[in-house]
Amino acid sequence: MRRIKYSIVLLAVCGVCALRVSAQTAKSSYFLDGGFHNYQLNPAMPAERGFFSTMIGNWSVKTNGNFGLSNFLYPYGDDKLTTFMSSTVSADEFLGRLPQSLQLSTELGSTLMATGFRMLGGFTTLSITTNSSTSMNIPRGFFEFAKKGFQEDHYSFSDINMRTMNYSAITLGYSHEIIKGLRVGVNAKYLVGMAYANIHVDKLNIQMNEEKWMVETHASAEAALFTEVTVEPGPMDELNEPKIPLVDAMDNFDGSNYKEIMAAFKPASSGFAVDLGVVYDMSELVKGLTLSASLVDLGSLKWKYLTKASINDSKVEFDGIEEIDPNDFEGSIEDEFDMIMQDVEEMFAMPYSHGTSAAKTALNPVMHLGVEYNMPFYRPLSVAMLYGKRFGDFGGWDEVRGYVNVSPLKWLEASANVGVSTYGTSWGWMFNFHPKIFSFFVGSDYMITKVTPQFIPVNNLNGHVTFGFNMPLGKRK
């Protein structure tokens, strides 16, 4: 029998990732003076000296979630695992451990090239970066339906969301001390879009109807790629497939149509964004006190070929949900997930296209407010606090993070911090080695304490790792 189940969140559990676009530099480095890439968090923060980096200069992989694998996988027998759909797992046990709304956000960022140098009395940066991120939100009611099934004859829920955006950015930044102690900075970004998708389920009504489920859905979706993709308005079927000139040209490649292929690679999306920042050293008033603030990713991308589709109260019939007996089920957990995805694809297929047109999508700005105080008895030691907020109707978050930072040597500094956010409590750290001839940093904003053999966080999906090698240029300021 078919089973309509826990869908998109389990994509996340399986590692099918998510997206939110923001600065990729670790927040654990925010108060470390030797960090070369802090301008991505606050453009008013110059590096201590010039630098140059290539593809290994600044890598960051991050996931945030208010749930983990332990919410969906349960032990049974001798060192075996089964899913929450097992008959050995009660509905109360499973649902009692779920938050009201399951949220997931993941990011992947890399700096392909970056350089910084002093110029015109200030500090200038130039960088090329890639950014990829996704956010998901699924109400607990969706999983209640999956688990309880025929125990109720009607289920209704809304606000299932998934948004993903991928782009590259060419950034030119400049910071300058305008008066003693007060420094301002700005980054100007030219954006090239790579891929975008946004799915929103406004309503999902599930009604028992003569031993079958009748699913009524109202949902919308939009998507775009870096190249031309067009779909005619009308039903989405084999007669109305997407037209992609790049794919057609590559399918017909014979060595003579390379110009056609190159023309199809012309970017179909571009945009602009700015970052603004300020740092105020208040040592004239309170020795050792520094305040800072920034607002990053103020901008948007324009997609020339954005395709929209929808489900307008369409009704799909499914067979009932059946619990799994782990002793009789012959497949693996991976097989179970494959069956889930088949049901999800059928349940959320968009039957009607509204065609392709140009449209803008806004980035979600991120705000940072920081305060740092250097200890009077040992100036290389400081305590600090950073507040961060991501704006937006979907995928927003708030976070407060407390820091202890120390720099016992000119070329060595470290930070330890604890944060409380929309995704729960976490702790982070950063080591930065920056002698004269090279710079290396490694750290994490969300330290993972327990993982599966596949390195997937167990108790929640908060995890992060960042590292980079850079080449210093010139003397320290």
Side-chain angles (χ1 to χ4, degrees):
M1 284 184 158
R2 290 191 179 209
R3 294 180 295 270
I4 310 167
K5 302 194 231 84
Y6 33 105
S7 83
I8 302 173
V9 165
L10 290 178
L11 282 175
V13 173
C14 295
V16 179
C17 67
L19 186 32
R20 167 178 70 80
V21 179
S22 68
Q24 69 217 30
T25 295
K27 287 172 284 189
S28 292
S29 72
Y30 189 89
F31 297 102
L32 300 184
D33 293 336
F36 287 139
H37 299 278
N38 285 349
Y39 67 91
Q40 295 181 350
L41 295 171
N42 187 330
M45 290 183 169
E48 63 176 3
R49 52 181 161 171
F51 70 94
F52 177 79
S53 65
T54 55
M55 295 184 66
I56 57 174
N58 188 19
W59 277 85
S60 177
V61 180
K62 181 187 298 183
T63 67
N64 291 118
N66 61 356
F67 63 95
L69 278 184
S70 58
N71 292 110
F72 298 97
L73 299 181
Y74 290 79
Y76 86 98
D78 297 328
D79 299 325
K80 296 181 180 179
L81 289 175
T82 185
T83 70
F84 70 88
M85 288 301 296
S86 169
S87 58
T88 62
V89 181
S90 70
D92 290 341
E93 179 185 5
F94 167 60
L95 296 172
R97 295 167 57 179
L98 290 183
Q100 196 66 32
S101 176
L102 285 79
Q103 301 175 10
L104 172 70
S105 174
T106 71
E107 302 175 22
L108 171 63
S110 66
T111 299
L112 303 181
M113 186 282 296
T115 186
F117 47 89
R118 296 187 182 95
M119 186 178 72
L120 301 177
F123 196 84
T124 299
T125 56
L126 176 65
S127 63
I128 301 175
T129 58
T130 62
N131 302 269
S132 175
S133 100
T134 305
S135 294
M136 295 182 183
N137 179 78
I138 299 180
R140 185 174 62 181
F142 196 56
F143 298 93
E144 182 178 3
F145 162 66
K147 182 61 180 175
K148 288 187 173 181
F150 286 109
Q151 296 179 31
E152 306 285 345
D153 59 8
H154 179 260
Y155 298 88
S156 180
F157 36 87
S158 59
D159 290 331
I160 298 176
N161 300 283
M162 184 178 77
R163 185 176 191 248
T164 180
M165 187 182 291
N166 304 263
Y167 70 86
S168 296
I170 301 174
T171 303
L172 178 63
Y174 182 74
S175 66
H176 193 90
E177 187 175 28
I178 55 176
I179 60 174
K180 186 176 182 180
L182 181 61
R183 191 176 195 94
V184 296
V186 60
N187 293 332
K189 302 178 179 179
Y190 174 72
L191 312 177
V192 178
M194 304 302 293
Y196 165 78
N198 188 18
I199 300 172
H200 177 66
V201 180
D202 298 298
K203 178 180 65 176
L204 197 62
N205 287 326
I206 304 174
Q207 182 71 45
M208 182 65 188
N209 182 21
E210 297 181 356
E211 298 184 356
K212 290 182 180 291
W213 291 110
M214 186 64 68
V215 181
E216 181 181 4
T217 309
H218 189 280
S220 61
E222 55 185 21
L225 289 175
F226 69 93
T227 188
E228 178 181 348
V229 180
T230 57
V231 181
E232 295 297 325
M236 296 284 285
D237 52 33
E238 65 275 6
L239 300 178
N240 190 21
E241 294 184 349
K243 298 178 178 61
I244 310 176
L246 175 59
V247 174
D248 295 339
M250 295 183 71
D251 286 343
N252 299 322
F253 179 71
D254 58 6
S256 62
N257 64 337
Y258 66 93
K259 290 185 178 179
E260 182 182 352
I261 294 176
M262 295 304 296
F265 266 109
K266 183 179 179 180
S269 173
S270 61
F272 295 93
V274 296
D275 303 337
L276 305 173
V278 59
V279 176
Y280 184 27
D281 183 350
M282 299 185 66
S283 293
E284 292 291 327
L285 301 175
V286 181
K287 189 172 180 62
L289 182 64
T290 303
L291 305 179
S292 61
S294 67
L295 190 60
V296 302
D297 292 332
L298 284 167
S300 63
L301 275 162
K302 181 177 181 180
W303 305 88
K304 294 182 181 179
Y305 306 100
L306 185 74
T307 300
K308 296 184 178 182
S310 66
I311 310 174
N312 295 317
D313 298 321
S314 65
K315 295 182 179 180
V316 180
E317 196 174 72
F318 286 90
D319 291 339
I321 299 176
E322 181 180 40
E323 283 194 323
I324 301 168
D325 185 344
N327 296 313
D328 293 338
F329 184 68
E330 297 179 355
S332 65
I333 290 178
E334 288 78 8
D335 295 332
E336 185 71 13
F337 286 170
D338 288 340
M339 296 170 65
I340 291 166
M341 291 314 304
Q342 292 175 8
D343 286 337
V344 172
E345 289 176 4
E346 184 172 348
M347 190 175 184
F348 291 103
M350 300 288 171
Y352 187 83
S353 165
H354 297 278
T356 303
S357 60
K360 283 187 177 182
T361 56
L363 305 185
N364 294 119
V366 178
M367 178 179 68
H368 299 109
L369 300 174
V371 56
E372 182 182 21
Y373 180 67
N374 290 88
M375 293 299 168
F377 56 85
Y378 185 58
R379 290 299 177 187
L381 176 66
S382 72
V383 293
M385 182 169 290
L386 180 67
Y387 170 71
K389 181 179 180 62
R390 182 199 178 202
F391 298 93
D393 296 332
F394 165 58
W397 49 260
D398 293 87
E399 181 181 72
V400 177
R401 189 169 289 269
Y403 295 73
V404 176
N405 312 292
V406 64
S407 180
L409 302 170
K410 287 184 178 181
W411 52 268
L412 174 64
E413 54 188 350
S415 174
N417 53 84
V418 176
V420 179
S421 74
T422 303
Y423 299 109
T425 303
S426 62
W427 66 280
W429 58 276
M430 178 71 68
F431 286 106
N432 186 26
F433 306 88
H434 50 107
K436 291 182 179 181
I437 58 175
F438 77 95
S439 171
F440 169 70
F441 69 86
V442 61
S444 173
D445 288 340
Y446 305 94
M447 191 62 188
I448 302 172
T449 56
K450 188 176 182 181
V451 298
T452 69
Q454 294 76 31
F455 295 98
I456 300 175
V458 173
N459 295 322
N460 59 51
L461 289 177
N462 290 331
H464 175 233
V465 61
T466 182
F467 67 91
F469 288 90
N470 298 272
M471 180 184 299
L473 301 174
K475 296 181 180 180
R476 290 186 175 91
K477 61 183 178 181

